[in-house]
Amino acid sequence: MKVLIFGATGLLGRALMQEWTSDEIRGLGSREVDIRDGAKVQNVVAETRPDWIVLAAAYTDVDGCESNQALAFAVNRDGAVNVANAAKQNGAKVFFLSSDYVFDGKKRSPYEVGDQRNPRSVYGRSKAEAEIRLLEVMPECCIARTSWLFGVGGKCFPDTILKLAASRPTLDVVDDQHGCPTYCVDLARAIIELCRKDVSGIVHVTNSGECSWFEFAQEIVKTAGESTEVRPVSSRQMARPAPRPEYSVLSATSLRQYGIQMPSWQDALRRYLEERHR
Ligand SMILES: NC(=O)c1ccc[n+]([C@@H]2O[C@H](COP(=O)([O-])OP(=O)(O)OC[C@H]3O[C@@H](n4cnc5c(N)ncnc54)[C@H](OP(=O)(O)O)[C@@H]3O)[C@@H](O)[C@H]2O)c1
């Protein structure tokens, strides 16, 4: 297979570049091609002639999206449409990364792929609109929703917690938002397998299990052998520009149909900590 990855310099992109060894891979960051530039996207896709395009490029600063709405939609929605149009004209299939933030978080059981989108943030809206437009341009594309990514080589929650834990005796972390942490390496492996299986439609891909950010932080500190005390606080006490879903656990049912079982987030965290120390 020939694969073109947009967003190869990001958290997930780096894991994809590292894990995807058995096919012909070309990875691009925003410096090589800005996905807002439809003509450039078209040229690079025509020149590469990939079987799959993995679209991991996005403006992912959830709070930044609230104050930069035009940028959020230009990259996350319109950029995605540029990639889908180029893919369609050149016989490639698109694997698009989407987010748990397309949901409002009002459910109390895992979100299924067919559940109603109702994003609460600009970032979530830009992803939800991208999903809808992509399915119009290329109904056979794959949309993989994931959540709470962590991995080496970029900013992520465990890395932030460990840096703070090194200098503070206590840490306050929100306990009223529940989701599932996902290790980029495990997500990358699932993406590779799904592309090989010629996946189509919407699929949810996260590590298994669920927790609050507070529980995640507790496990990070404990597993890393730190003594910092982690204290639960409410989202109201830690106000952020973008509203987050209270509950955004994604169901594994869609992934099981492809015979893929994801490791637990605790197991993934242990492997991340090992990788971080290497
Ligand atoms: N992080 C999460 O918790 C999370 C959760 C759910 C879903 N997702 C989705 O998963 C995917 C990967 O996320 P991530 O955390 O790996 O992202 P990330 O680390 O923020 O990396 C973003 C990537 O997108 C590229 N990019 C940004 N703007 C671009 C533009 N205008 N044109 C071309 N490339 C551009 C960046 O390139 P440069 O670095 O070269 O600028 C970088 O390679 C994204 O679609 C994201 O929305 C992430």
Side-chain angles (χ1 to χ4, degrees), residues 93-151:
K93 233 172 122 174
V94 173
F95 191 107
F96 174 65
L97 271 301
S98 188
S99 165
D100 54 333
Y101 285 17
V102 302
F103 296 120
D104 60 19
K106 290 186 179 149
K107 259 184 106 175
R108 288 298 174 265
S109 60
Y111 279 93
E112 301 294 342
V113 292
D115 282 334
Q116 185 80 41
R117 301 176 188 94
N118 189 22
R120 300 185 59 218
S121 60
V122 171
Y123 171 77
R125 265 178 30 227
S126 70
K127 285 292 193 180
E129 289 185 21
E131 288 189 2
I132 294 164
R133 296 290 310 278
L134 279 189
L135 288 167
E136 284 166 7
V137 176
M138 183 178 281
E140 73 279 18
C141 76
C142 175
I143 291 170
R145 297 189 187 124
T146 188
S147 62
W148 297 21
L149 288 191
F150 65 94

Side-chain angles (χ1 to χ4, degrees), residues 6-14 16 28-37 41 55-62 71 74-76 79 96-101 123 127 144-150 153-156 182 184 187 213 250:
F6 288 103
T9 48
L11 211 54
L12 171 62
R14 284 168 201 233
L16 281 166
L28 302 170
S30 67
R31 275 203 210 139
E32 288 103 341
V33 178
D34 188 321
I35 59 170
R36 289 173 294 176
D37 186 337
V41 170
L55 180 46
Y59 176 39
T60 58
D61 177 352
V62 176
L71 181 61
V75 176
N76 295 350
F96 174 65
L97 271 301
S98 188
S99 165
D100 54 333
Y101 285 17
Y123 171 77
K127 285 292 193 180
R145 297 189 187 124
T146 188
S147 62
W148 297 21
L149 288 191
F150 65 94
K155 204 173 156 231
C156 68
T182 304
C184 287
L187 175 58
W213 289 112
L250 301 176

Side-chain angles (χ1 to χ4, degrees), residues 21-214:
T21 50
S22 49
D23 291 293
E24 198 181 321
I25 312 299
R26 180 174 185 192
L28 302 170
S30 67
R31 275 203 210 139
E32 288 103 341
V33 178
D34 188 321
I35 59 170
R36 289 173 294 176
D37 186 337
K40 273 218 174 119
V41 170
Q42 178 65 244
N43 286 344
V44 78
V45 174
E47 176 193 301
T48 313
R49 293 243 150 226
D51 300 295
W52 273 105
I53 298 175
V54 178
L55 180 46
Y59 176 39
T60 58
D61 177 352
V62 176
D63 290 321
C65 285
E66 295 295 312
S67 46
N68 293 296
Q69 297 206 16
L71 181 61
F73 285 102
V75 176
N76 295 350
R77 180 194 57 201
D78 304 341
V81 172
N82 286 339
V83 172
N85 280 328
K88 193 174 173 181
Q89 282 171 36
N90 291 281
K93 233 172 122 174
V94 173
F95 191 107
F96 174 65
L97 271 301
S98 188
S99 165
D100 54 333
Y101 285 17
V102 302
F103 296 120
D104 60 19
K106 290 186 179 149
K107 259 184 106 175
R108 288 298 174 265
S109 60
Y111 279 93
E112 301 294 342
V113 292
D115 282 334
Q116 185 80 41
R117 301 176 188 94
N118 189 22
R120 300 185 59 218
S121 60
V122 171
Y123 171 77
R125 265 178 30 227
S126 70
K127 285 292 193 180
E129 289 185 21
E131 288 189 2
I132 294 164
R133 296 290 310 278
L134 279 189
L135 288 167
E136 284 166 7
V137 176
M138 183 178 281
E140 73 279 18
C141 76
C142 175
I143 291 170
R145 297 189 187 124
T146 188
S147 62
W148 297 21
L149 288 191
F150 65 94
V152 297
K155 204 173 156 231
C156 68
F157 184 76
D159 186 56
T160 304
I161 290 294
L162 290 172
K163 283 183 178 146
L164 291 173
S167 62
R168 294 192 194 173
T170 57
L171 285 177
D172 293 346
V173 183
V174 294
D175 195 28
D176 53 7
Q177 290 167 25
H178 289 78
C180 187
T182 304
Y183 185 26
C184 287
V185 169
D186 291 339
L187 175 58
R189 288 174 183 163
I191 290 171
I192 296 165
E193 206 172 330
L194 286 166
C195 287
R196 293 223 173 94
K197 289 182 172 168
D198 202 29
V199 59
S200 278
I202 301 177
V203 63
H204 287 173
V205 191
T206 68
N207 278 118
S208 66
E210 59 180 84
C211 60
S212 69
W213 289 112
F214 161 71

